[in-house]
mmCIF file of all heavy atoms in Angstrom:
data_model
loop_
_atom_site.group_PDB
_atom_site.id
_atom_site.type_symbol
_atom_site.label_atom_id
_atom_site.label_comp_id
_atom_site.label_asym_id
_atom_site.label_seq_id
_atom_site.Cartn_x
_atom_site.Cartn_y
_atom_site.Cartn_z
ATOM 1 N N LYS C 376 9.621 39.419 -4.038
ATOM 2 C CA LYS C 376 9.214 38.063 -4.408
ATOM 3 C C LYS C 376 7.690 38.001 -4.404
ATOM 4 O O LYS C 376 7.027 38.808 -3.723
ATOM 5 C CB LYS C 376 9.792 37.007 -3.455
ATOM 6 C CG LYS C 376 9.289 37.052 -2.027
ATOM 7 C CD LYS C 376 10.020 36.020 -1.185
ATOM 8 C CE LYS C 376 9.479 35.939 0.231
ATOM 9 N NZ LYS C 376 8.120 35.375 0.300
ATOM 10 N N THR C 377 7.146 37.082 -5.161
ATOM 11 C CA THR C 377 5.709 36.885 -5.099
ATOM 12 C C THR C 377 5.357 36.262 -3.755
ATOM 13 O O THR C 377 6.175 35.576 -3.136
ATOM 14 C CB THR C 377 5.211 35.973 -6.231
ATOM 15 O OG1 THR C 377 5.743 34.654 -6.037
ATOM 16 C CG2 THR C 377 5.628 36.497 -7.586
ATOM 17 N N SER C 378 4.140 36.482 -3.315
ATOM 18 C CA SER C 378 3.699 35.867 -2.062
ATOM 19 C C SER C 378 3.281 34.422 -2.273
ATOM 20 O O SER C 378 3.187 33.644 -1.332
ATOM 21 C CB SER C 378 2.526 36.654 -1.476
ATOM 22 O OG SER C 378 1.380 36.522 -2.310
ATOM 23 N N GLY C 379 3.021 34.073 -3.531
ATOM 24 C CA GLY C 379 2.403 32.792 -3.855
ATOM 25 C C GLY C 379 0.910 32.950 -4.049
ATOM 26 O O GLY C 379 0.240 32.042 -4.533
ATOM 27 N N GLY C 380 0.409 34.124 -3.690
ATOM 28 C CA GLY C 380 -0.994 34.458 -3.916
ATOM 29 C C GLY C 380 -1.082 35.677 -4.815
ATOM 30 O O GLY C 380 -0.423 35.751 -5.849
ATOM 31 N N ARG C 381 -1.849 36.694 -4.384
ATOM 32 C CA ARG C 381 -2.035 37.886 -5.214
ATOM 33 C C ARG C 381 -1.065 39.000 -4.857
ATOM 34 O O ARG C 381 -1.033 40.031 -5.526
ATOM 35 C CB ARG C 381 -3.463 38.410 -5.067
ATOM 36 C CG ARG C 381 -4.542 37.427 -5.515
ATOM 37 C CD ARG C 381 -5.918 38.070 -5.493
ATOM 38 N NE ARG C 381 -6.220 38.687 -4.202
ATOM 39 C CZ ARG C 381 -6.584 39.948 -4.040
ATOM 40 N NH1 ARG C 381 -6.690 40.743 -5.096
ATOM 41 N NH2 ARG C 381 -6.840 40.432 -2.841
ATOM 42 N N GLY C 382 -0.297 38.828 -3.787
ATOM 43 C CA GLY C 382 0.510 39.916 -3.278
ATOM 44 C C GLY C 382 1.997 39.789 -3.566
ATOM 45 O O GLY C 382 2.455 38.901 -4.282
ATOM 46 N N LEU C 383 2.742 40.713 -2.964
ATOM 47 C CA LEU C 383 4.194 40.743 -3.078
ATOM 48 C C LEU C 383 4.802 40.911 -1.695
ATOM 49 O O LEU C 383 4.210 41.522 -0.803
ATOM 50 C CB LEU C 383 4.632 41.927 -3.953
ATOM 51 C CG LEU C 383 4.628 41.744 -5.468
ATOM 52 C CD1 LEU C 383 4.705 43.095 -6.162
ATOM 53 C CD2 LEU C 383 5.818 40.877 -5.891
ATOM 54 N N HIS C 384 5.972 40.351 -1.527
ATOM 55 C CA HIS C 384 6.778 40.575 -0.331
ATOM 56 C C HIS C 384 8.054 41.281 -0.757
ATOM 57 O O HIS C 384 8.630 40.943 -1.800
ATOM 58 C CB HIS C 384 7.161 39.257 0.346
ATOM 59 C CG HIS C 384 5.983 38.439 0.768
ATOM 60 N ND1 HIS C 384 6.033 37.055 0.863
ATOM 61 C CD2 HIS C 384 4.716 38.789 1.131
ATOM 62 C CE1 HIS C 384 4.870 36.602 1.268
ATOM 63 N NE2 HIS C 384 4.049 37.628 1.433
ATOM 64 N N VAL C 385 8.501 42.237 0.039
ATOM 65 C CA VAL C 385 9.776 42.901 -0.217
ATOM 66 C C VAL C 385 10.620 42.810 1.047
ATOM 67 O O VAL C 385 10.186 43.243 2.126
ATOM 68 C CB VAL C 385 9.584 44.373 -0.640
ATOM 69 C CG1 VAL C 385 10.940 45.043 -0.860
ATOM 70 C CG2 VAL C 385 8.750 44.452 -1.920
ATOM 71 N N PHE C 386 11.804 42.217 0.912
ATOM 72 C CA PHE C 386 12.738 42.073 2.026
ATOM 73 C C PHE C 386 13.911 43.033 1.809
ATOM 74 O O PHE C 386 14.382 43.194 0.675
ATOM 75 C CB PHE C 386 13.292 40.653 2.110
ATOM 76 C CG PHE C 386 12.292 39.606 2.549
ATOM 77 C CD1 PHE C 386 10.958 39.910 2.768
ATOM 78 C CD2 PHE C 386 12.703 38.302 2.747
ATOM 79 C CE1 PHE C 386 10.053 38.936 3.171
ATOM 80 C CE2 PHE C 386 11.810 37.318 3.151
ATOM 81 C CZ PHE C 386 10.480 37.634 3.361
ATOM 82 N N ALA C 387 14.391 43.639 2.877
ATOM 83 C CA ALA C 387 15.569 44.496 2.819
ATOM 84 C C ALA C 387 16.529 44.070 3.923
ATOM 85 O O ALA C 387 16.188 44.177 5.109
ATOM 86 C CB ALA C 387 15.185 45.962 2.987
ATOM 87 N N PRO C 388 17.717 43.562 3.582
ATOM 88 C CA PRO C 388 18.671 43.149 4.614
ATOM 89 C C PRO C 388 19.142 44.356 5.431
ATOM 90 O O PRO C 388 19.413 45.428 4.882
ATOM 91 C CB PRO C 388 19.831 42.549 3.812
ATOM 92 C CG PRO C 388 19.262 42.234 2.471
ATOM 93 C CD PRO C 388 18.201 43.262 2.228
ATOM 94 N N VAL C 389 19.219 44.173 6.741
ATOM 95 C CA VAL C 389 19.718 45.221 7.631
ATOM 96 C C VAL C 389 20.748 44.622 8.590
ATOM 97 O O VAL C 389 20.747 43.419 8.858
ATOM 98 C CB VAL C 389 18.581 45.880 8.449
ATOM 99 C CG1 VAL C 389 17.620 46.619 7.533
ATOM 100 C CG2 VAL C 389 17.832 44.864 9.307
ATOM 101 N N ARG C 390 21.604 45.472 9.092
ATOM 102 C CA ARG C 390 22.541 45.027 10.118
ATOM 103 C C ARG C 390 21.750 44.712 11.385
ATOM 104 O O ARG C 390 20.823 45.452 11.741
ATOM 105 C CB ARG C 390 23.583 46.114 10.394
ATOM 106 C CG ARG C 390 24.439 46.467 9.181
ATOM 107 C CD ARG C 390 25.516 47.492 9.542
ATOM 108 N NE ARG C 390 24.945 48.740 10.028
ATOM 109 C CZ ARG C 390 24.483 49.734 9.260
ATOM 110 N NH1 ARG C 390 24.517 49.603 7.929
ATOM 111 N NH2 ARG C 390 24.004 50.835 9.791
ATOM 112 N N PRO C 391 22.081 43.646 12.111
ATOM 113 C CA PRO C 391 21.312 43.281 13.313
ATOM 114 C C PRO C 391 21.676 44.170 14.507
ATOM 115 O O PRO C 391 22.231 43.717 15.507
ATOM 116 C CB PRO C 391 21.701 41.820 13.536
ATOM 117 C CG PRO C 391 23.078 41.709 12.974
ATOM 118 C CD PRO C 391 23.119 42.640 11.794
ATOM 119 N N GLU C 392 21.316 45.440 14.389
ATOM 120 C CA GLU C 392 21.648 46.419 15.427
ATOM 121 C C GLU C 392 20.412 47.021 16.083
ATOM 122 O O GLU C 392 20.539 47.806 17.021
ATOM 123 C CB GLU C 392 22.492 47.548 14.814
ATOM 124 C CG GLU C 392 23.827 47.068 14.243
ATOM 125 C CD GLU C 392 24.570 48.166 13.485
ATOM 126 O OE1 GLU C 392 24.078 49.324 13.487
ATOM 127 O OE2 GLU C 392 25.625 47.862 12.893
ATOM 128 N N TRP C 393 19.223 46.643 15.599
ATOM 129 C CA TRP C 393 17.982 47.206 16.107
ATOM 130 C C TRP C 393 17.053 46.076 16.538
ATOM 131 O O TRP C 393 17.043 45.004 15.932
ATOM 132 C CB TRP C 393 17.310 48.056 15.030
ATOM 133 C CG TRP C 393 18.103 49.267 14.659
ATOM 134 C CD1 TRP C 393 18.018 50.512 15.210
ATOM 135 C CD2 TRP C 393 19.124 49.350 13.647
ATOM 136 N NE1 TRP C 393 18.908 51.365 14.609
ATOM 137 C CE2 TRP C 393 19.607 50.679 13.646
ATOM 138 C CE3 TRP C 393 19.687 48.432 12.747
ATOM 139 C CZ2 TRP C 393 20.610 51.122 12.796
ATOM 140 C CZ3 TRP C 393 20.689 48.860 11.886
ATOM 141 C CH2 TRP C 393 21.149 50.191 11.907
ATOM 142 N N ASP C 394 16.263 46.317 17.599
ATOM 143 C CA ASP C 394 15.376 45.261 18.085
ATOM 144 C C ASP C 394 14.076 45.238 17.274
ATOM 145 O O ASP C 394 13.879 46.037 16.352
ATOM 146 C CB ASP C 394 15.106 45.416 19.585
ATOM 147 C CG ASP C 394 14.385 46.716 19.953
ATOM 148 O OD1 ASP C 394 13.711 47.312 19.076
ATOM 149 O OD2 ASP C 394 14.478 47.140 21.122
ATOM 150 N N PHE C 395 13.187 44.316 17.627
ATOM 151 C CA PHE C 395 11.951 44.141 16.859
ATOM 152 C C PHE C 395 11.083 45.393 16.855
ATOM 153 O O PHE C 395 10.489 45.739 15.828
ATOM 154 C CB PHE C 395 11.150 42.958 17.414
ATOM 155 C CG PHE C 395 11.565 41.628 16.872
ATOM 156 C CD1 PHE C 395 12.453 40.824 17.568
ATOM 157 C CD2 PHE C 395 11.061 41.166 15.665
ATOM 158 C CE1 PHE C 395 12.850 39.593 17.074
ATOM 159 C CE2 PHE C 395 11.446 39.932 15.154
ATOM 160 C CZ PHE C 395 12.338 39.150 15.855
ATOM 161 N N VAL C 396 10.984 46.080 17.985
ATOM 162 C CA VAL C 396 10.152 47.285 18.049
ATOM 163 C C VAL C 396 10.706 48.351 17.117
ATOM 164 O O VAL C 396 9.963 49.000 16.360
ATOM 165 C CB VAL C 396 10.061 47.802 19.497
ATOM 166 C CG1 VAL C 396 9.371 49.164 19.541
ATOM 167 C CG2 VAL C 396 9.304 46.808 20.378
ATOM 168 N N GLU C 397 12.020 48.528 17.136
ATOM 169 C CA GLU C 397 12.635 49.543 16.285
ATOM 170 C C GLU C 397 12.482 49.204 14.800
ATOM 171 O O GLU C 397 12.188 50.081 13.980
ATOM 172 C CB GLU C 397 14.110 49.693 16.647
ATOM 173 C CG GLU C 397 14.332 50.324 18.020
ATOM 174 C CD GLU C 397 15.768 50.219 18.480
ATOM 175 O OE1 GLU C 397 16.386 49.140 18.305
ATOM 176 O OE2 GLU C 397 16.283 51.214 19.033
ATOM 177 N N VAL C 398 12.679 47.933 14.452
ATOM 178 C CA VAL C 398 12.531 47.543 13.047
ATOM 179 C C VAL C 398 11.087 47.720 12.594
ATOM 180 O O VAL C 398 10.821 48.191 11.482
ATOM 181 C CB VAL C 398 13.014 46.094 12.835
ATOM 182 C CG1 VAL C 398 12.651 45.598 11.443
ATOM 183 C CG2 VAL C 398 14.529 46.002 13.045
ATOM 184 N N ARG C 399 10.136 47.375 13.458
ATOM 185 C CA ARG C 399 8.726 47.582 13.112
ATOM 186 C C ARG C 399 8.449 49.066 12.923
ATOM 187 O O ARG C 399 7.713 49.456 11.999
ATOM 188 C CB ARG C 399 7.839 46.986 14.197
ATOM 189 C CG ARG C 399 6.339 47.151 13.963
ATOM 190 C CD ARG C 399 5.557 46.438 15.059
ATOM 191 N NE ARG C 399 4.131 46.731 15.002
ATOM 192 C CZ ARG C 399 3.561 47.815 15.532
ATOM 193 N NH1 ARG C 399 4.311 48.707 16.164
ATOM 194 N NH2 ARG C 399 2.255 48.002 15.447
ATOM 195 N N HIS C 400 9.003 49.924 13.776
ATOM 196 C CA HIS C 400 8.819 51.364 13.610
ATOM 197 C C HIS C 400 9.410 51.835 12.280
ATOM 198 O O HIS C 400 8.824 52.697 11.603
ATOM 199 C CB HIS C 400 9.479 52.116 14.769
ATOM 200 C CG HIS C 400 8.726 52.018 16.056
ATOM 201 N ND1 HIS C 400 9.220 52.488 17.255
ATOM 202 C CD2 HIS C 400 7.488 51.510 16.333
ATOM 203 C CE1 HIS C 400 8.336 52.267 18.218
ATOM 204 N NE2 HIS C 400 7.279 51.677 17.678
ATOM 205 N N ALA C 401 10.544 51.276 11.901
ATOM 206 C CA ALA C 401 11.146 51.635 10.609
ATOM 207 C C ALA C 401 10.227 51.244 9.464
ATOM 208 O O ALA C 401 10.048 52.018 8.501
ATOM 209 C CB ALA C 401 12.506 50.953 10.468
ATOM 210 N N VAL C 402 9.617 50.070 9.553
ATOM 211 C CA VAL C 402 8.679 49.627 8.520
ATOM 212 C C VAL C 402 7.473 50.559 8.457
ATOM 213 O O VAL C 402 7.019 50.944 7.367
ATOM 214 C CB VAL C 402 8.237 48.175 8.784
ATOM 215 C CG1 VAL C 402 7.073 47.791 7.878
ATOM 216 C CG2 VAL C 402 9.398 47.209 8.575
ATOM 217 N N ILE C 403 6.942 50.945 9.613
ATOM 218 C CA ILE C 403 5.792 51.853 9.646
ATOM 219 C C ILE C 403 6.136 53.168 8.955
ATOM 220 O O ILE C 403 5.360 53.688 8.143
ATOM 221 C CB ILE C 403 5.348 52.102 11.104
ATOM 222 C CG1 ILE C 403 4.697 50.845 11.692
ATOM 223 C CG2 ILE C 403 4.385 53.285 11.187
ATOM 224 C CD1 ILE C 403 4.412 50.922 13.181
ATOM 225 N N ALA C 404 7.311 53.719 9.271
ATOM 226 C CA ALA C 404 7.709 55.004 8.685
ATOM 227 C C ALA C 404 7.878 54.891 7.178
ATOM 228 O O ALA C 404 7.458 55.782 6.416
ATOM 229 C CB ALA C 404 9.007 55.485 9.328
ATOM 230 N N ILE C 405 8.491 53.806 6.718
ATOM 231 C CA ILE C 405 8.673 53.590 5.277
ATOM 232 C C ILE C 405 7.315 53.433 4.597
ATOM 233 O O ILE C 405 7.058 54.036 3.541
ATOM 234 C CB ILE C 405 9.564 52.355 5.046
ATOM 235 C CG1 ILE C 405 11.004 52.666 5.452
ATOM 236 C CG2 ILE C 405 9.498 51.896 3.587
ATOM 237 C CD1 ILE C 405 11.886 51.441 5.573
ATOM 238 N N ALA C 406 6.442 52.627 5.186
ATOM 239 C CA ALA C 406 5.118 52.403 4.597
ATOM 240 C C ALA C 406 4.310 53.696 4.536
ATOM 241 O O ALA C 406 3.616 53.964 3.545
ATOM 242 C CB ALA C 406 4.376 51.335 5.395
ATOM 243 N N ARG C 407 4.403 54.521 5.579
ATOM 244 C CA ARG C 407 3.678 55.801 5.572
ATOM 245 C C ARG C 407 4.167 56.694 4.431
ATOM 246 O O ARG C 407 3.368 57.382 3.783
ATOM 247 C CB ARG C 407 3.882 56.522 6.904
ATOM 248 C CG ARG C 407 2.971 56.055 8.028
ATOM 249 C CD ARG C 407 2.997 57.056 9.166
ATOM 250 N NE ARG C 407 2.047 56.685 10.202
ATOM 251 C CZ ARG C 407 2.377 56.378 11.462
ATOM 252 N NH1 ARG C 407 3.652 56.389 11.825
ATOM 253 N NH2 ARG C 407 1.454 56.063 12.341
ATOM 254 N N ARG C 408 5.468 56.697 4.200
ATOM 255 C CA ARG C 408 6.009 57.534 3.121
ATOM 256 C C ARG C 408 5.479 57.075 1.755
ATOM 257 O O ARG C 408 5.185 57.896 0.888
ATOM 258 C CB ARG C 408 7.532 57.488 3.146
ATOM 259 C CG ARG C 408 8.148 58.789 3.674
ATOM 260 C CD ARG C 408 9.646 58.701 3.757
ATOM 261 N NE ARG C 408 10.254 60.018 3.843
ATOM 262 C CZ ARG C 408 10.171 60.853 4.863
ATOM 263 N NH1 ARG C 408 9.455 60.515 5.907
ATOM 264 N NH2 ARG C 408 10.769 62.030 4.840
ATOM 265 N N VAL C 409 5.376 55.764 1.587
ATOM 266 C CA VAL C 409 4.811 55.238 0.346
ATOM 267 C C VAL C 409 3.371 55.718 0.191
ATOM 268 O O VAL C 409 2.962 56.193 -0.879
ATOM 269 C CB VAL C 409 4.878 53.698 0.321
ATOM 270 C CG1 VAL C 409 4.118 53.132 -0.879
ATOM 271 C CG2 VAL C 409 6.326 53.219 0.306
ATOM 272 N N CYS C 410 2.604 55.606 1.256
ATOM 273 C CA CYS C 410 1.184 55.969 1.191
ATOM 274 C C CYS C 410 0.973 57.460 0.932
ATOM 275 O O CYS C 410 0.003 57.852 0.268
ATOM 276 C CB CYS C 410 0.481 55.558 2.480
ATOM 277 S SG CYS C 410 0.443 53.769 2.735
ATOM 278 N N ARG C 411 1.871 58.299 1.431
ATOM 279 C CA ARG C 411 1.733 59.738 1.178
ATOM 280 C C ARG C 411 1.951 60.066 -0.301
ATOM 281 O O ARG C 411 1.402 61.035 -0.807
ATOM 282 C CB ARG C 411 2.728 60.509 2.049
ATOM 283 C CG ARG C 411 2.324 60.568 3.518
ATOM 284 C CD ARG C 411 3.394 61.198 4.356
ATOM 285 N NE ARG C 411 3.039 61.162 5.779
ATOM 286 C CZ ARG C 411 3.915 60.969 6.763
ATOM 287 N NH1 ARG C 411 5.199 60.795 6.473
ATOM 288 N NH2 ARG C 411 3.513 60.945 8.008
ATOM 289 N N ARG C 412 2.758 59.261 -0.960
ATOM 290 C CA ARG C 412 3.039 59.522 -2.376
ATOM 291 C C ARG C 412 1.929 59.011 -3.279
ATOM 292 O O ARG C 412 1.667 59.589 -4.334
ATOM 293 C CB ARG C 412 4.377 58.880 -2.762
ATOM 294 C CG ARG C 412 5.537 59.540 -2.058
ATOM 295 C CD ARG C 412 6.889 59.033 -2.507
ATOM 296 N NE ARG C 412 7.913 59.593 -1.651
ATOM 297 C CZ ARG C 412 9.218 59.376 -1.787
ATOM 298 N NH1 ARG C 412 9.648 58.587 -2.776
ATOM 299 N NH2 ARG C 412 10.089 59.926 -0.963
#
Side-chain angles (χ1 to χ4, degrees):
K376 66 184 185 69
T377 66
S378 67
R381 299 187 307 125
L383 276 164
H384 301 152
V385 178
F386 290 4
V389 295
R390 298 184 299 278
E392 298 173 5
W393 295 269
D394 63 22
F395 275 96
V396 172
E397 291 169 317
V398 170
R399 179 176 171 277
H400 286 172
V402 169
I403 289 171
I405 289 166
R407 278 195 175 118
R408 253 177 162 68
V409 172
C410 295
R411 286 174 184 143
R412 294 186 188 182

